[in-house]
Amino acid sequence: MDRRHFLQTGLAAMALSQLGGTEALAAGKNKKEQAQAFGPVTCENVAAGPQDLLVRFLGSGAAGWKPGSTIDRRNSSVLLDGKVLIDFTLSVTDMLPEGCRPEHIFYTHSHPDHYQPLQALKLGVKHVYISETWVDMAKYEFMRIAAEQKLPMPKMHPLMIGVPLTVEDLTFTPLPANHTTNFYQEQAQIYLVEKGTTEQHLGVRLLYATDTGSIMGKASRLAGIDTHKSDIPPRPITGFIMEGTLGKADYRMFNHSTPELVALIAEVLAHGKRYTPPAGQPVYITHMGHSVYDREYGHKWSQEELNARLPNPVRAAYDGLEVVFRAVD
Ligand SMILES: [Zn+2]
């Protein structure tokens, strides 16, 4: 099966809102294993139209999944249209399609399961986008490692909450996340990613929300999805990826979310016409911890079992999954 066929069957499976065997087959495979199973994985945007956004999940696990162990899920990051990364983990280089060298990285926060400067420098990344609240700290670290390793230093770009920044045809608006690090000045971020959005057309408006405990009110207002006394004009999102770190709520709920909470948020947004996806498009959870997998009697669920137990329309992403988020009028 070639990759185009793989993508098409994956899309057909998604249109039916259920997972086919193709998706399950690819779960947990790196690019070499995928190439053996499906033919060469390339960087091109094969199945997406020029208005659509191709998202490749390079990892879908929380920090607990360690590279080198029996890997089911790598740390979470995504590749957008083959050219922009959100976060750069230890396993990104291994999971990138063949010949694909994205030059732009947007970071969510400084936790090591999201931020690995040495690996990014080795790949030769040229532009790094980080919250103004910790960009100086990151710049110092990048410069030190670049000097030690004799690698070229990328340009560092500070990001401000709510201020959009465009890279080619993708626009990123940083939004505040409910997530803390040990550097208390740092504001962790989630992103609204827009493609082809104009005053007349929604295009693709994808909310990528990890790591965060729920969605902060300010983030929802800036994204245009708050229906509660907002002075910012409403604008629905058309795609939704959110973290589902916790199998059930525990002491980490001030920093992370459960799949059920993601489903509830999607339901509320859809009810208020603030989430208008193409028909049949799932909400994807990523950044899953072990407890999402292993909620009953130590039984480790397969991808199919996990999806069967997740509330509609939530589906579990997996490492190497590619999803085409279609533009909406
Ligand atoms: Zn984190």
Side-chain angles (χ1 to χ4, degrees):
M1 180 184 293
D2 65 16
R3 181 166 171 273
R4 187 181 295 268
H5 187 193
F6 165 56
L7 281 165
Q8 284 166 346
T9 46
L11 285 167
M14 280 187 284
L16 292 168
S17 287
Q18 62 185 24
L19 278 173
T22 314
E23 284 203 10
L25 270 176
K29 292 183 185 300
N30 67 18
K31 67 183 175 193
K32 283 195 193 110
E33 292 161 342
Q34 282 212 354
Q36 282 162 5
F38 308 114
V41 180
T42 64
C43 203
E44 59 191 270
N45 190 346
V46 280
Q51 299 304 315
D52 305 325
L53 177 66
L54 177 65
V55 176
R56 180 180 175 87
F57 290 86
L58 304 175
S60 56
W65 304 100
K66 297 281 188 249
S69 63
T70 308
I71 295 178
D72 288 303
R73 295 190 185 277
R74 296 158 185 82
N75 292 158
S76 294
S77 63
V78 285
L79 176 66
L80 307 175
D81 276 353
K83 61 190 177 195
V84 181
L85 288 156
I86 299 182
D87 289 337
F88 203 109
T89 73
L90 284 175
S91 36
V92 158
T93 306
D94 183 43
M95 291 298 288
L96 282 174
E98 210 63 59
C100 191
R101 296 175 79 85
E103 297 183 349
H104 304 266
I105 307 173
F106 286 77
Y107 282 105
T108 57
H109 64 296
S110 65
H111 278 155
D113 59 324
H114 297 259
Y115 169 73
Q116 291 287 338
L118 173 59
Q119 310 302 320
L121 285 166
K122 280 184 176 171
L123 190 76
V125 66
K126 292 195 168 60
H127 297 274
V128 173
Y129 307 85
I130 290 184
S131 163
E132 58 171 347
T133 59
W134 62 287
V135 68
D136 289 343
M137 189 174 77
K139 187 173 183 178
Y140 174 79
E141 195 169 15
F142 267 86
M143 283 173 70
R144 177 178 60 75
I145 298 171
E148 278 170 14
Q149 302 287 323
K150 299 189 170 40
L151 293 165
M153 178 66 190
K155 185 166 168 41
M156 308 293 280
H157 303 263
L159 294 173
M160 292 172 69
I161 291 293
V163 179
L165 193 146
T166 299
V167 174
E168 297 181 29
D169 54 354
L170 302 179
T171 298
F172 295 79
T173 305
L175 306 168
N178 188 29
H179 194 74
T180 47
T181 69
N182 285 335
F183 179 54
Y184 292 115
Q185 304 303 317
E186 177 180 346
Q187 173 61 64
Q189 295 177 162
I190 59 177
Y191 289 99
L192 174 69
V193 183
E194 292 173 293
K195 183 175 180 183
T197 302
T198 64
E199 280 194 15
Q200 291 78 30
H201 295 286
L202 283 177
V204 179
R205 301 188 84 235
L206 170 69
L207 185 60
Y208 180 81
T210 188
D211 296 355
T212 184
S214 191
I215 303 288
M216 288 179 74
K218 185 173 177 178
S220 70
R221 189 166 287 203
L222 288 168
I225 57 174
D226 182 15
T227 51
H228 180 66
K229 296 180 184 170
S230 177
D231 52 356
I232 293 180
R235 209 83 209 266
I237 53 170
T238 63
F240 189 21
I241 300 169
M242 187 166 169
E243 70 141 283
T245 308
L246 309 174
K248 57 178 184 244
D250 62 20
Y251 64 95
R252 295 169 294 170
M253 67 183 286
F254 308 110
N255 283 278
H256 289 294
S257 304
T258 65
E260 285 75 13
L261 179 60
V262 176
L264 184 63
I265 291 170
E267 186 187 326
V268 168
L269 289 177
H271 182 73
K273 297 192 169 45
R274 295 296 181 271
Y275 174 47
T276 56
Q281 179 185 283
V283 170
Y284 286 94
I285 55 166
T286 187
H287 202 271
M288 285 162 275
H290 285 87
S291 61
V292 171
Y293 248 73
D294 196 9
R295 287 195 273 190
E296 287 171 0
Y297 314 113
H299 173 64
K300 194 173 153 195
W301 295 340
S302 66
Q303 182 78 13
E304 293 95 328
E305 288 173 311
L306 180 58
N307 275 315
R309 283 163 172 79
L310 289 172
N312 257 326
V314 176
R315 294 289 179 273
Y318 57 76
D319 300 7
L321 170 66
E322 290 188 331
V323 178
V324 176
F325 288 89
R326 301 280 179 205
V328 174
D329 268 349

